[in-house]
Structures are given as structure tokens and as C-alpha cells.
Amino acid sequence: RFQAKAMGSATMQSLPGGEEIITPVSNAIHFTHGIQNVRPVLDIEVEIPVEVIGGVPNWEVCRRAWWDAIALVYQYDKKNQVPMRMALEMRVSAGSGVHMAPQRGNQYTCSIEVLTFGHVDKQEWVSFMQDILDRWTQYTDSHGKKLNVRPHWAKQWHGMTLDDGQVQGLKYDGQDAVSYMRQHAYNDAIPKFKAGMQAIAADKGFSLEEATKMFSNKLFDEVYGFNAPATSATAVAEPSRTKRRRVGDK
């Protein structure tokens, strides 16, 4: 608790004073300075679609996500636990046309994350991440349909390794992380991504298997199904040529 209060007080004191700055709300509440200098940092972030009603974005989901996180911090404080000791951040952006982007298909996106120091109790932090995910993945649109909440690829979306060496995975709406990514978050995007990768491989004279052996890992093999047989939705002709060029060959 002392560490969290000290961090918050130091941050507030470092903010510029005596000058009125007009800035979008998304910039004003996005903590931008200092975190990059802290090592290590534990962090989880999700991208929440912002529904547009009558041509106007409904920011209620942003407010709800923000206050759900704050309420959870106080719930843990009552248990004398302070897993989140650095910052709660939120920013608003547009959507994306990139297949595997977490903002894909959105008109507006609410990106929200919680951060803490790397030496906090890992079991406390995993429990906190799960509790916040349980809230952030339950939001619905005005028709009662659940929003397609996607995690930030570069954050702790899968879980973490505890001190005893065991990996404790996170769940999204009751599903393990890999199943959620494959069956819900990116169920329509993964086949398109794999098809695009296979097309590039065919055009450039290498195989998708060669590419995944060099650049992928076990977790991404599971998410993308790289080791699974190609289906009709993802099958793309393999290159007919077998000769490979080395750098410097003519």
C-alpha cells in the first residue's frame, strides 16, 4: 500500500502545474511518462469495442471499464492486498483493418490496462488479472450482444508463471485464453491470416512450415493452429518450385 501511494504521489507531483492545457480526454487520462523506465513491469490490457448509436459513439463502456477497475482495487484493499501499484490507463482509438489487430472491425476502441511492479506477489496479481477480466469481458451492446473484447498481444493475456514454476492461465468469459482467441476473438480472422501467410510463402518460394519453425513458438502454434492440417477455409496452393536461393546466389 505504501508503495502504491508513494508512486501515485510522486506521479502527481511531477505533473506540470500553473498552466492550463487543453487536450482530448483520451490523452489526459493516459499515463505516458515514466513507466518505460521501470523494469520489470506486469501488465494486462484489453481492447473494448465502442458501440456507435445513431452515428454517435457511446462512451458508457469506457466509463464502466474504468470504474470497474477502480472498484476492484478497493475490494482488494479491504483484503489488505494491493496487487496494482502503478497505474490504470485508458485511451481511445479508431478501428483497424489488419486481420490480427485487436481493434479490427471497430469504429472506436477503448484500450484499458492495469500495471504493477514486477516483484508483487504473483498469485495476487494473477487473481487480480482474472477478476478484472471477468468484468471487462461481460460488457454488451445496446442489443444485449457481448462485445468482442480482445487482449493486447504484447501484454499478459495468456497468464504467467508462478514462483513454483507452474503456469496459471487466464480465462476469458469462462474459456482458456487460447480457445477464446481461436473460437471467439479471432475466429474469422485466423483463417484469413493463415491464407495470407501461405500465399506469401508460395509467392516467395518457401513453405509456411519453414516460416513457423523460424519465427513462431509453441503458444502461437496453438493460437493459429500452424500444426493443424489446412482446412478448405485456409488451404492455399503450396509453391511448385523446390529450389531455394541463398543470399548471394545469382
Side-chain angles (χ1 to χ4, degrees):
R1 185 178 291 106
F2 171 79
Q3 190 178 56
K5 288 183 177 179
M7 182 67 180
S9 297
T11 300
M12 294 303 295
Q13 291 176 7
S14 68
L15 293 176
E19 178 184 0
E20 185 177 275
I21 300 175
I22 306 300
T23 183
V25 173
S26 57
N27 291 339
I29 60 178
H30 184 206
F31 186 86
T32 58
H33 301 289
I35 291 176
Q36 72 277 7
N37 298 319
V38 181
R39 299 290 188 278
V41 168
L42 304 178
D43 184 357
I44 186 169
E45 175 181 326
V46 298
E47 321 301 317
I48 305 173
V50 176
E51 185 182 17
V52 176
I53 303 175
V56 178
N58 181 8
W59 303 116
E60 177 59 30
V61 70
C62 301
R63 287 191 287 268
R64 184 175 175 188
W66 184 263
W67 287 105
D68 276 350
I70 291 176
L72 186 63
V73 169
Y74 281 102
Q75 288 179 26
Y76 270 75
D77 184 63
K78 290 179 180 179
K79 299 185 293 183
N80 201 32
Q81 296 179 2
V82 189
M84 193 196 82
R85 302 181 188 179
M86 288 192 68
L88 166 65
E89 297 185 12
M90 186 181 73
R91 60 194 179 278
V92 176
S93 64
S96 173
V98 176
H99 289 323
M100 300 307 299
Q103 301 88 355
R104 177 176 176 264
N106 303 341
Q107 287 186 261
Y108 298 91
T109 303
C110 172
S111 302
I112 188 166
E113 63 182 319
V114 289
L115 303 95
T116 196
F117 294 101
H119 60 264
V120 301
D121 183 275
K122 292 182 178 179
Q123 185 60 65
E124 274 188 30
W125 179 245
V126 172
S127 297
F128 182 81
M129 287 195 295
Q130 186 60 68
D131 284 341
I132 198 65
L133 281 177
D134 288 345
R135 288 156 175 76
W136 285 346
T137 56
Q138 294 304 307
Y139 303 145
T140 60
D141 63 17
S142 58
H143 303 288
K145 181 180 179 181
K146 283 189 177 179
L147 299 174
N148 191 356
V149 177
R150 301 183 179 112
H152 190 304
W153 283 106
K155 309 295 173 68
Q156 289 181 283
W157 59 272
H158 183 258
M160 71 180 299
T161 303
L162 304 180
D163 291 330
D164 60 4
Q166 298 296 313
V167 176
Q168 183 164 337
L170 295 171
K171 290 187 178 296
Y172 294 75
D173 197 23
Q175 288 186 292
D176 65 86
V178 170
S179 296
Y180 180 83
M181 298 290 252
R182 287 182 58 82
Q183 299 172 16
H184 179 74
Y186 295 98
N187 64 316
D188 61 333
I190 289 176
K192 296 176 181 178
F193 176 78
K194 290 179 67 176
M197 289 287 293
Q198 289 175 317
I200 293 171
D203 180 63
K204 300 302 180 181
F206 61 90
S207 69
L208 184 58
E209 182 181 5
E210 290 172 323
T212 56
K213 282 183 178 179
M214 178 170 290
F215 297 110
S216 189
N217 56 41
K218 181 180 178 182
L219 177 58
F220 281 119
D221 286 348
E222 293 177 358
V223 172
Y224 290 104
F226 283 136
N227 294 326
T231 66
S232 57
T234 62
V236 175
E238 286 293 320
S240 58
R241 58 184 184 273
T242 58
K243 183 178 179 180
R244 299 288 182 266
R245 285 186 177 182
R246 297 172 298 180
V247 174
D249 285 352
K250 295 184 179 180

